[in-house]
Amino acid sequence: MKRYVLALLIGLLPAVAGAQANPAAQAARSWRQQHERAIVDEFVTLLSIPNIARDREDIQRNAEAIAAMMAKRGLAPKLVSVPGGNPIVFGEIRTPGATRTLAFYAHYDGQPLDAKEWASPPFVPTLRDKPTEDGGQVIPLPPVGATFDPEWRLYARGAADDKAPVIALMTAVDAIRAAGMTFRANIKFAFEGEEEAGSVNLERTLAANKDLFAADLWLMCDAPLYQTRQQSIIFGARGVTQVDITVYGPRAELHSGHYGNWAPNPAMSLARLLTSMKDDKGRVLVEGFYDDVEPLGPVEKRALAEAPAIGTDLMRQFWLGSTDGGPLTLNELITVPSLNIRGMTSSRTGAQASNVIPASATVSIDIRMVKGMDGRKTGQQITDHIRTQGFFVVDREPTADERRAHPKVAKVVVVRTGAGSRTPMDLPISQEVIRTVESVRGRAVKLPTMGGGLPLAQVERPLGTRTIVIPMGNHDNNQHSSDENLRIQNLWDGIELMAALLTM
């Protein structure tokens, strides 16, 4: 463990020197050191507004609050949407004589939650002296003029995923202007309000407003840093295709003593179906699943080989005794598609369990799509596989006659389809981004894709642009779960990094 900590500290040393080498990052550091409490106060105000994507009233409040932040800085904000969609908060800086445009993306909506699972209310931003799992205690915000300990954590939904880049970008604009520095490119900001709901309206919104959102490059400011706390630059993301499957047993639950061994159990039937989809190593067995995967090129393979090894330490941290996919590493495995069980339900468990044969069993599956794959085709492959396992398949509730006529019945609904995307790492603009990031944060970890999903394809298709992901959050931020948090140093580093990219 001591060797790991030493290696981590050594890996972080170039980042300290890097900020001194980039004038915009240096200006941002100076500004931040003078305004820490004001920056965090603005962040706390934004985090206090509930941001679940389906809550339209609160989403509107978020959008208006961000627009007000942008207006204060003269960024000409607009709320842009299509019927039924949450607004994208747009703003821009027009630079005389600029020959290119850079767009900066973040999202202000957050994942659904159960407040009872949180150590403190999710929309009452709470500062702690260390992570909750390490016994972190609630502490007050320091007075104006005092400094924040960089290891403190700010807890709230959206703290890391993904309101932090909004604050970092606004603060970086303040710092650049205060230092009398100039922008080289036209700058656009696009803050989405339904990324956690699948960005279902993003592509339509961009397509309907192509001129407004047109840019040579979109920098997607989302996702956590590499697990060693090193800065990462990610050139792609996996899309998500979701498939929900329900299999059926008796019309209503039956007494397991009276009817066990006779009435088929849908939970057992679903379990057998799911095990037919993957082998013991985690490889998907659905016919054709990997056929359209676009292979990595030599530059991407070299980047993977150069990325720091993290598997052993993560296994210890996550209490894992084994992993899937060996001998491939985690970084290699997230460049290929996956099939994951998001959740399963059938009757009840725990104190509510009863001795019954369930009436049905349901599973929700997410499939992580990589470049080359088509979500509609993959959804059909899953459906075809279920048929090969002897199921009569419908896409709505089966009728009584259908259930009587077939030994096994499954309702299969492809809820959404996604696509993966990947920008070549050797493009001139890619290399420029690498140089800029490394001028601030030292040697970065370059990855061809990330494991999670981001709407890269939804941006690239309507606008004909390129996308590169610039992470900012701490890797242990509990995003999508309870007690989401942002390490304070990640916010400070993000401000410096955004300042450098804004002046690229």
Side-chain angles (χ1 to χ4, degrees), residues 469-483:
V469 182
I470 306 293
M472 204 183 102
N474 40 296
H475 79 277
D476 55 351
N477 61 29
N478 294 342
Q479 67 185 100
H480 293 194
S481 188
S482 57
D483 295 337

Side-chain angles (χ1 to χ4, degrees), residues 393-438:
V393 175
V394 294
D395 60 1
R396 33 78 191 158
E397 281 298 307
T399 65
D401 286 342
E402 287 171 331
R403 289 174 64 170
R404 293 188 190 105
H406 302 279
K408 296 193 291 186
V409 177
K411 179 178 71 173
V412 181
V413 179
V414 180
V415 180
R416 59 170 168 157
T417 59
S421 179
R422 198 166 66 233
T423 292
M425 298 171 110
D426 52 358
L427 292 178
I429 189 64
S430 300
Q431 291 298 306
E432 185 176 358
V433 169
I434 292 171
R435 288 193 299 271
T436 302
V437 170
E438 292 190 334

Side-chain angles (χ1 to χ4, degrees), residues 59-199:
I59 285 294
Q60 185 69 23
R61 290 175 58 210
N62 276 274
E64 291 172 356
I66 294 172
M69 291 164 54
M70 299 171 83
K72 185 172 69 173
R73 294 163 169 94
L75 303 181
K78 299 178 182 177
L79 302 187
V80 185
S81 63
V82 293
N86 293 342
I88 297 173
V89 187
F90 171 86
E92 64 180 334
I93 299 171
R94 295 182 179 179
T95 303
T99 59
R100 69 178 179 186
T101 299
L102 304 176
F104 290 79
Y105 166 97
H107 66 87
Y108 59 87
D109 66 311
Q111 281 277 319
L113 55 83
D114 183 346
K116 297 189 296 296
E117 298 175 352
W118 287 63
S120 50
F123 298 113
V124 179
T126 303
L127 191 65
R128 294 179 183 270
D129 58 0
K130 54 186 174 181
T132 54
E133 56 267 30
D134 294 333
Q137 298 297 308
V138 176
I139 56 176
L141 294 176
V144 175
T147 60
F148 284 70
D149 186 313
E151 293 301 323
W152 288 346
R153 306 277 180 119
L154 188 60
Y155 281 77
R157 173 58 89 223
D161 187 18
D162 186 40
K163 289 182 176 180
V166 176
I167 297 298
L169 284 162
M170 296 300 100
T171 304
V173 169
D174 292 339
I176 291 165
R177 287 175 169 166
M181 303 182 74
T182 58
F183 299 92
R184 295 184 177 90
N186 292 314
I187 302 296
K188 295 183 179 180
F189 303 98
F191 301 137
E192 188 192 0
E194 53 189 11
E195 192 274 344
E196 299 295 5
S199 296

